[in-house]
Amino acid sequence: MWISIRTNIRTAAAAKKGMNEAFVIALRGGAVSGIVIVAMSLLGVSLIYYLFSINAEPKEVPFLIIGYGFGASFVALFAQLGGGIYTKAADVGSDLVGKVEQGIPEDDPRNPAVIADLVGDNVGDCAGRGADLFESTAAENIGAMILGVALFPYFGIKGVLFPLVVRAFGLIATIIGIMTVKLKNENENPMKALNRGYYITSFLAAIALYLTTKWLLDNILFFYAGLVGIVTSILIVWITVYYTESTYRPVKSIAKASLTGHATNIISGFAVALEATVLPVVVLSVALLTSFKLGNLSGIPHGGLYGTAIATMGMLATAAYVLAMDTFGPITDNAGGIVVMSNSSKDVRRRTDKLDAVGNTTKALTKGYAIGSAALAAFLLFSAYLDYVAKYTGLKVVTVDIAKIDVFVGALIGAMLIFLFSAFAIRAVGDAAFSIVNEVRRQWKEKKGIMTGKEKPDYARVVDICVKASLKEMILPGLLVVIITVIVGVVLKYEAAAAYLMVATITGILMALMLNTGGGAWDNAKKLIEEGMHGGKGSEAHKAAVTGDTIGDPFKDTAGPSLHVLIKLLGTITLVLVPLFV
């Protein structure tokens, strides 16, 4: 957040000179966050591993540092959930009274909720997503290191340290990729330039993965497994772009449905959200099966699971670049707000609007990437959980028999948890937005000079409501996860806890895909109408699209992203509590 709020003013100033200047500053500002967050995650795991290994057996150390992953997941849940409640309560409240009731444009300084909305972009997308990918990389590193222990007779310490080396090379690939990104001319679509940088980063990460695999593992099949992960990340990004970009069928269909009213917009948007789960699941399933098969072909026992671990490393190799693209979104959004409030020229507004539209797409594809990597990391953590149970019980193979009644009940509770958690997250946004709408209406009623520009709104009052609501409302869902997990594990034991973890992961992946992609599609359908389609701003279709967008807001920025973290938190908390469950 510290970097983001200093970059947005520079981006707004650079937009006076030209599109490329503003674009490069926004992306490099985002890159600082992306690189620092992934580097901190890597440094934390490496440092703890080094300190713990001074007086311990190298094979035991990965089991001792599980707590690091749990701590990162637990804090990330509150950061993502609290940030999501804050940002979307402000956004929904601002849109409902500003656009729908008063017909004033976005980021209009006469709207008392506008500052809270701009602050919220940083809280939700920078701090929240940063915490999400921080714990993703931490949990994935530790999970892969635990699986590396199972292969200690074949690779020794190299198999344990392999994930850390790959992550370090991924950072170098990201730095080079970021430095190559710039617009060819004023009229080039910024998304094309971002994609070029992403492909360069992926290519360099693949080379680094090949060299590291040859150096530490000396088995080309594991490199192919990593390549599967890199290709999976590109495919997930493409699928997310298809469902959320305004140039493709899904978003256009929602915009068209807005012509016949609010209800048809919502029906069409929800249908797109449900449909959007299919292709990512197919891609992730093929990735897991392929990487497992490649690992098995290595001829090494447990090689299949290590293959899926390396696929996860491949997918997360570009995490810093994707996080840079994500932070690019709130930076350009805030820059647009600064430009509107400072009454800058139409040329400057056109540039920041174009960057802001691209920022919306990058935020959507980051969520797609985050849930894809969460799915692979969750399978990795599940495998690590079974390994840890085997270590504690002395069993050679740990099986999970869903036909046992207690195991089935555990699975059922896991599926229920996802729905209950999502309900709490979405309701929290609704309650906070209700307070904000009433506060904004009160200010307009009592201070008549606000709408004429003679009086300043009380922005701080709305910010205060958002802060209090987000801090208060995030406690119950966060505690719920921990309490239910402990009860299932202690009462129903480790096999039921495994089923609980497995089914909660599957349900969470599908629910997050639906919420993230559906919300992004609703948002860009509104943007498409604002660009002039179906009557443009102020039309009945636009009002219907704003309603769809406000429904999609808590889907894509509160409940959906929080589920990414929840999935991995369940993985790390069950790992930490194995001694209690056995």
Side-chain angles (χ1 to χ4, degrees):
M1 286 198 293
W2 193 88
I3 293 296
S4 175
I5 58 171
R6 280 156 180 79
T7 309
N8 55 33
I9 187 74
R10 290 181 171 91
T11 304
K16 291 181 178 179
K17 297 176 188 172
M19 178 70 92
N20 185 57
E21 285 85 347
F23 170 74
V24 169
I25 286 173
L27 180 63
R28 290 186 182 175
V32 173
S33 299
I35 292 164
V36 167
I37 284 166
V38 176
M40 280 169 60
S41 170
L42 175 62
L43 183 66
V45 174
S46 305
L47 196 61
I48 291 174
Y49 181 85
Y50 173 74
L51 293 173
F52 276 41
S53 61
I54 292 171
N55 292 313
E57 182 74 23
K59 287 195 286 185
E60 294 296 318
V61 177
F63 295 101
L64 300 175
I65 61 174
I66 292 167
Y68 181 87
F70 168 65
S73 300
F74 197 54
V75 172
L77 181 68
F78 287 112
Q80 182 67 78
L81 184 59
I85 293 167
Y86 183 110
T87 182
K88 288 303 112 179
D91 195 2
V92 170
S94 175
D95 280 358
L96 284 176
V97 277
K99 291 181 181 177
V100 178
E101 291 182 13
Q102 295 292 338
I104 59 175
E106 197 164 351
D107 298 329
D108 192 303
R110 292 172 295 176
N111 190 334
V114 72
I115 297 297
D117 187 11
L118 292 171
V119 171
D121 290 325
N122 297 293
V123 175
D125 287 311
C126 298
R129 201 84 64 258
D132 180 355
L133 287 174
F134 175 90
E135 63 93 24
S136 255
T137 50
E140 185 269 330
N141 282 337
I142 294 166
M145 289 167 85
I146 288 171
L147 292 184
V149 170
L151 303 180
F152 203 82
Y154 304 94
F155 300 128
I157 196 68
K158 290 178 180 178
V160 178
L161 297 180
F162 180 77
L164 305 181
V165 179
V166 171
R167 182 75 60 248
F169 278 122
L171 278 171
I172 296 166
T174 296
I175 292 166
I176 297 167
I178 291 285
M179 297 311 289
T180 62
V181 179
K182 60 182 176 185
L183 297 175
K184 289 178 179 175
N185 55 62
E186 183 80 5
N187 297 316
E188 189 189 11
N189 184 349
M191 199 64 224
K192 277 189 177 177
L194 287 171
N195 284 338
R196 270 200 308 274
Y198 180 58
Y199 298 142
I200 289 167
T201 304
S202 298
F203 177 70
L204 293 172
I207 293 171
L209 188 66
Y210 172 76
L211 295 172
T212 312
T213 309
K214 288 293 284 180
W215 170 36
L216 294 176
L217 306 181
D218 197 25
N219 193 314
I220 196 69
L221 289 167
F222 286 123
F223 162 68
Y224 293 142
L227 210 54
V228 167
I230 293 172
V231 172
T232 301
S233 71
I234 294 170
L235 290 175
I236 291 285
V237 166
W238 280 352
I239 292 164
T240 310
V241 167
Y242 171 72
Y243 278 103
T244 55
E245 262 274 24
S246 55
T247 49
Y248 300 105
R249 175 194 59 83
V251 170
K252 283 182 176 176
S253 69
I254 298 170
K256 188 180 177 183
S258 305
L259 287 166
T260 48
H262 300 251
T264 45
N265 169 285
I266 293 160
I267 292 165
S268 178
F270 194 64
V272 166
L274 292 168
E275 181 198 320
T277 59
V278 178
L279 289 176
V281 167
V282 171
V283 168
L284 290 169
S285 302
V286 170
L288 282 169
L289 288 168
T290 308
S291 56
F292 187 85
K293 184 72 176 170
L294 286 165
N296 265 347
L297 288 172
S298 68
I300 296 168
H302 305 290
L305 289 178
Y306 202 61
T308 62
I310 294 174
T312 312
M313 292 174 215
M315 187 159 188
L316 283 166
T318 54
Y321 187 92
V322 173
L323 195 51
M325 286 202 292
D326 183 63
T327 313
F328 171 87
I331 288 170
T332 53
D333 193 339
N334 278 202
I338 292 165
V339 164
V340 169
M341 289 183 193
S342 59
N343 290 319
S344 295
S345 67
K346 281 188 178 178
D347 273 351
V348 178
R349 288 189 195 187
R350 180 183 57 78
R351 286 173 189 143
T352 54
D353 283 350
K354 198 171 178 181
L355 290 173
D356 186 19
V358 171
N360 276 324
T361 305
T362 61
K363 285 189 281 187
L365 65 85
T366 306
K367 293 181 191 102
Y369 174 88
I371 190 59
S373 61
L376 293 184
F379 180 76
L380 179 59
L381 289 169
F382 180 72
S383 305
Y385 170 79
L386 295 181
D387 267 12
Y388 202 17
V389 169
K391 180 175 179 284
Y392 252 85
T393 56
L395 296 169
K396 282 194 174 180
V397 180
V398 178
T399 54
V400 181
D401 185 356
I402 202 79
K404 289 181 183 175
I405 190 71
D406 51 346
V407 178
F408 181 79
V409 168
L412 204 59
I413 293 168
M416 173 276 293
L417 174 69
I418 300 300
F419 284 87
L420 185 60
F421 179 86
S422 302
F424 282 154
I426 293 167
R427 189 174 68 193
V429 173
D431 291 347
F434 179 82
S435 305
I436 288 163
V437 168
N438 287 331
E439 172 59 23
V440 173
R441 284 175 181 162
R442 182 194 67 77
Q443 288 196 32
W444 277 337
K445 190 176 177 183
E446 293 177 8
K447 296 182 178 181
K448 303 289 184 189
I450 289 176
M451 292 307 287
T452 58
K454 289 178 181 174
E455 278 187 272
K456 259 191 169 184
D458 184 358
Y459 301 120
R461 176 83 188 111
V462 182
V463 171
D464 192 47
I465 291 170
C466 288
V467 171
K468 284 178 179 172
S470 59
L471 291 172
K472 179 183 164 191
E473 300 282 357
M474 71 182 183
I475 295 168
L476 180 60
L479 288 176
L480 180 85
V481 177
V482 178
I483 292 166
I484 290 179
T485 306
V486 171
I487 290 170
V488 168
V490 170
V491 175
L492 301 175
K493 297 303 173 188
Y494 73 87
E495 201 175 336
Y500 163 85
L501 172 59
M502 188 192 298
V503 175
T505 299
I506 293 165
T507 313
I509 290 163
L510 292 171
M511 180 74 92
L513 283 168
M514 185 195 80
L515 296 173
N516 288 341
T517 318
W522 262 315
D523 188 3
N524 279 340
K526 177 201 71 175
K527 290 270 193 308
L528 189 61
I529 292 171
E530 285 177 347
E531 286 167 13
M533 191 176 271
H534 305 313
K537 288 183 182 179
S539 64
E540 288 304 311
H542 181 238
K543 287 178 182 175
V546 170
T547 301
D549 178 38
T550 50
I551 291 169
D553 274 339
F555 280 27
K556 70 181 171 67
D557 286 317
T558 310
S562 299
L563 285 173
H564 310 165
V565 186
L566 172 65
I567 290 164
K568 288 165 290 184
L569 174 60
L570 290 174
T572 52
I573 194 172
T574 46
L575 261 177
V576 168
L577 297 178
V578 162
L580 265 182
F581 300 167
V582 172

